[in-house]
Amino acid sequence: MDNSFKTNVGLILDLDYGKSIKDASDIELYNAVSKAAMRTIDKDWGLYSSRKKVCYLSMEFLIGRMIYSNLYNMGLMKQFTELMSENGIDIRIFEDIEDAALGNGGLGRLAACFLDSAATHGIVLNGYGIRYKYGLFKQEFEEGFQKELPDDWQRFGDPWSVRRDEDTVRIDFKDQSVLAVPYDMPVIGYGSKTINTLRLWQAEPTKAFDFELFNNQQYDKSVKNRSEAEAISSLLYPNDNTNKGKKLRIKQEYFFTSASLQDVVRKYKKKHGDDFSKFSGEYVFQLNDTHPVLAIPELIRLLVENEGISFAKALRIAKDSFAYTNHTVMAEALEKWDASLLRSVVPNVYKYIVLINKALIDELKSFNIVTTEEQRKYLIIDGKVVHMARMAIFVGFSTNGVAWLHTEILKSDALAEWYQLYPGRFNNKTNGITQRRWLALANMELAGFITDKVGDSWIADLNVLKKLEKFADDKDVIKQFSDIKQVKKRQLADYIYKHEGIRVNPDFIFDIQIKRLHEYKRQLLNAFSILDIYYGLKDGRIKEFNPTAFIFGAKAAPGYYRAKGIIKYINEIAKMIAADPEVNDKLQVVFVTNYNVSYAEKLTPAADVSEQISTAGTEASGTGNMKFMLNGAVTLGTYDGANVEIVEQAGMENNYIFGARVEDIEKVKGTYDPVKIYKSNPRIKKVIDTLVDGTFDDGGTGMFKELYDSLLVGASWHKPDHYYILLDFISCCDAKLMVNKDYSDQMSFRRKCFINTVNAGKFSSDRTIRDYALQIWN
């Protein structure tokens, strides 16, 4: 075996720090191991000139901690483990070192899983995004309130990135110009057969130091120019409640799309010169949601202004080059910009949006859609508003949803008018997750168990898990499976105690809800159902109850007042239960801080129950549900997103589906009366009233009263209880108690969990990416 990697770790430590492995700090060792691994990669990685290349444009890449994933895929994990063992060092030494939080949730994590799967299966897919200095914020709780702190993920160095100054490009806005400097991260496929690239752009001033301004004693202006340039790549999703924030968002979106398009055009010309007839055969751009849609008019602008191509021909090239992934059915989440605001930031691009809109109108006429009123629901520029999703659907040759139900809703409701126009463009690509990170690394014990039973080919083909089905009625095998779950629960309990200072009993049921904090994901419904159980235990209504820990992990966007109120409310419930000796031996609520990819890698394998309780018809897909399923948890959820396909694969009898379905909500939409439900059900009223009756303290912020009003009064922008929490309240509580009762029969319950793992093969991002490659990208 080639031991050069192990040797190089020692050499780098000696050269860089003058230390041995045993003397090195965690950070020094992390840098040395990473650099030694990078040395094993071909310096010309990612050069696949003869093959069609996919450019995956995404505002987010939630890549998490890279070191273990890269070592695993490179086949260096064994050498690394040996090296640590030889020196008496725990291989988990890097768990608190680096977690690149360059994303906010499922959108960014999906992008990261796609990168891994594409490289593993030899598909040339390169990611393009922004190298945020701070990424998503670091979360702390102060008196139960979320507090945001900057998360400087580069503070320990960034040994996995290579700065490519030679590929720097200039980006021009109306009021400033900046440089986009690329940093390349290798995306290493399992077995290192294919190495793709994640290229992240960093914004820098056009002059590193402006001597002219300095010499003229205009120090403030010099500093301002630098800070305004660097602001573009400083923070993921700046607060856009103000015009200034909105302008920065537009700048971010144009910054990385323009830089990426300039980069691709330069590479294409190097190979083909001025002949752009082969462009769409060489490159395809996948737009991950609406954030990168400015890439469409920007490509057209570059072709027209720099290459002398006519607008009509440039539009044809764009139509053959762009595909769009939709991630939401909610109209308010489909990105729209004020036309004057967009024009004030990127006037050079706006004029091409006007031309695209004119081309759309011409095409609508060919469909006999001729009146202004008929055309309105399609227009990219509708009055004073620019609709980004409409531009993506019109120009793109493909529009895909991310779960079967989501795609059906797009076709029948959310984008029905477009589906009628272009039915051939719409398709479904159910999301997936990479089993290499979410099983092989996150749950080595279960991975070893699976390999022992069916071999290791599941690492690159998750459908192999189906071979485990023959063990479903083998009590010894189910017992082994159950013992592994208990090990993961103990590990999580230790991790929570280390990071939160809270003791959790691993013998409790672990019921876990971890995801971005949003009203439609209904963390509030989960909280209400926990309170109902609490009162049921107190008043004797619930007599038999298996002790349960309800664990939450979520961040609320800094400007999302209501979501922050929900966090505070859950923390108040946790505090009340912890202080009540009558119930705290049966019930516990824990809200972990700073939930991120690395925390998810601890939480997911330890769950008995996966909470996926979004309002039916609101969650496009979800990927957390897939991670839990793969690691042997039952889904307690609504018939929404990929939950539909999970129960299709693993069986309704092995999961716990509750609540109104899409068709049920459609029936009650016009007549739904949450106040009537509230007044007619004492259990519901008692729980809802805790928001206003003094049971809990919101520190005088009025947050809880605002939550109460959102359910029973409504707001200027929505009707009361617009996510149907009261409608699903009792059904949710009943499902929770059914799970709790079924847990009493451990063998039967673990068999349900086992069947979920066995049937998780469909939900590998390997399958998803192959579907994209064959059915969209050709």
Side-chain angles (χ1 to χ4, degrees), residues 399-514:
T399 293
N400 73 279
V402 291
W404 174 83
L405 178 62
H406 170 231
T407 303
E408 291 306 302
I409 294 171
L410 292 181
K411 293 193 293 189
S412 64
D413 182 20
L415 300 174
E417 67 278 11
W418 288 98
Y419 177 64
Q420 288 160 15
L421 217 57
Y422 307 119
R425 292 184 189 179
F426 281 75
N427 60 94
N428 176 56
K429 299 289 171 281
T430 296
N431 282 344
I433 58 170
T434 167
Q435 65 268 29
R436 289 163 291 281
R437 180 181 283 267
W438 294 106
L439 178 55
L441 282 169
N443 198 342
M444 290 181 183
E445 295 86 350
L446 182 56
F449 164 87
I450 293 167
T451 297
D452 182 55
K453 298 289 181 285
V454 297
D456 67 0
S457 58
W458 62 268
I459 297 168
D461 179 7
L462 200 59
N463 289 315
V464 171
L465 292 186
K466 196 71 177 168
K467 291 181 180 178
L468 289 166
E469 201 159 41
K470 63 188 175 191
F471 300 109
D473 295 311
D474 185 324
K475 289 187 176 178
D476 290 337
V477 171
I478 301 300
K479 175 73 167 60
Q480 290 173 44
F481 182 81
S482 182
D483 289 346
I484 289 167
K485 181 64 74 173
Q486 204 56 36
V487 168
K488 301 315 285 185
K489 288 170 75 173
R490 279 198 300 273
Q491 288 173 2
L492 176 61
D494 291 343
Y495 193 81
I496 289 174
Y497 182 65
K498 178 184 172 185
H499 286 82
E500 317 293 340
I502 298 169
R503 293 197 184 276
V504 183
N505 187 337
D507 293 328
F508 278 31
I509 297 170
F510 280 11
D511 179 307
I512 302 181
Q513 186 180 23
I514 46 173

Side-chain angles (χ1 to χ4, degrees), residues 268-283:
Y268 177 85
K269 287 185 72 176
K270 193 173 180 182
K271 182 179 176 184
H272 297 285
D274 297 329
D275 175 12
F276 277 83
S277 63
K278 299 182 181 71
F279 188 80
S280 60
E282 185 97 7
Y283 290 98

Side-chain angles (χ1 to χ4, degrees), residues 1 7 18 117 130 155 173 213 225 255 281 355 371 392 425 459 509 541 598 704 706 753:
M1 184 180 72
T7 305
S117 287
I130 297 176
R155 66 194 180 280
F173 303 101
L213 287 174
N225 287 352
F255 167 76
L355 291 174
T371 69
R425 292 184 189 179
I459 297 168
I509 297 170
R541 173 171 52 85
S598 296
F704 294 172
E706 202 279 332
C753 297

Side-chain angles (χ1 to χ4, degrees), residues 475-754:
K475 289 187 176 178
D476 290 337
V477 171
I478 301 300
K479 175 73 167 60
Q480 290 173 44
F481 182 81
S482 182
D483 289 346
I484 289 167
K485 181 64 74 173
Q486 204 56 36
V487 168
K488 301 315 285 185
K489 288 170 75 173
R490 279 198 300 273
Q491 288 173 2
L492 176 61
D494 291 343
Y495 193 81
I496 289 174
Y497 182 65
K498 178 184 172 185
H499 286 82
E500 317 293 340
I502 298 169
R503 293 197 184 276
V504 183
N505 187 337
D507 293 328
F508 278 31
I509 297 170
F510 280 11
D511 179 307
I512 302 181
Q513 186 180 23
I514 46 173
K515 50 184 74 249
R516 180 167 57 94
L517 204 308
H518 196 287
E519 289 164 85
Y520 84 83
K521 294 179 184 286
R522 300 203 297 189
Q523 284 94 343
L524 187 57
L525 174 61
N526 192 359
F528 284 161
S529 65
I530 294 165
L531 259 187
D532 183 67
I533 289 169
Y534 170 78
Y535 288 131
L537 290 169
K538 293 279 283 185
D539 64 21
R541 173 171 52 85
I542 300 172
K543 294 184 168 50
E544 293 181 6
F545 187 79
N546 287 301
T548 303
F550 292 98
I551 301 171
F552 293 82
K555 291 179 179 178
Y560 195 171
Y561 180 80
R562 194 174 286 173
K564 288 177 145 183
I566 293 168
I567 289 177
K568 170 64 174 169
Y569 183 65
I570 293 167
N571 279 324
E572 284 292 300
I573 293 170
K575 188 166 73 171
M576 179 182 75
I577 291 172
D580 189 338
E582 283 184 31
V583 296
N584 62 17
D585 61 338
K586 305 179 196 70
L587 200 58
Q588 185 175 20
V589 177
V590 178
F591 205 129
V592 302
T593 54
N594 203 39
Y595 169 64
N596 56 18
V597 174
S598 296
Y599 223 137
E601 288 168 359
K602 299 291 182 189
L603 289 155
T604 304
D608 297 304
V609 183
S610 159
E611 292 264 359
Q612 308 295 332
I613 60 176
S614 53
T615 312
T618 60
E619 183 70 83
S621 168
T623 53
N625 45 8
M626 302 169 187
K627 293 159 196 162
F628 282 116
M629 178 196 195
L630 178 61
N631 280 278
V634 296
T635 295
L636 188 155
T638 49
Y639 203 65
D640 193 30
N643 294 354
V644 174
E645 291 160 83
I646 284 173
V647 297
E648 192 178 82
Q649 295 295 309
M652 195 72 80
E653 70 279 9
N654 295 308
N655 292 286
Y656 299 82
I657 300 299
F658 71 89
R661 298 192 177 191
V662 171
E663 58 271 26
D664 300 322
I665 289 172
E666 278 301 315
K667 285 176 191 169
V668 302
K669 248 180 185 174
T671 57
Y672 178 57
D673 185 358
V675 176
K676 187 177 177 183
I677 297 172
Y678 164 80
K679 286 180 176 176
S680 64
N681 191 310
R683 278 169 58 192
I684 293 176
K685 187 176 186 302
K686 183 171 186 175
V687 168
I688 302 291
D689 282 352
T690 63
L691 288 164
V692 291
D693 66 7
T695 302
F696 300 119
D697 178 14
D698 67 2
T701 61
M703 281 177 158
F704 294 172
K705 175 66 163 62
E706 202 279 332
L707 285 173
Y708 179 87
D709 287 345
S710 76
L711 297 171
L712 301 177
V713 181
S716 60
W717 67 94
H718 70 78
K719 291 178 180 179
D721 191 21
H722 57 318
Y723 291 116
Y724 302 95
I725 286 175
L726 275 70
L727 183 68
D728 285 349
F729 190 114
I730 296 299
S731 177
C732 178
C733 296
D734 289 347
K736 271 191 164 71
L737 292 175
M738 180 60 73
V739 173
N740 194 277
K741 182 184 174 188
D742 287 355
Y743 192 82
S744 298
D745 183 345
Q746 272 283 294
M747 193 59 67
S748 174
F749 185 84
R750 282 294 170 230
R751 185 184 183 278
K752 289 177 191 272
C753 297
F754 181 78

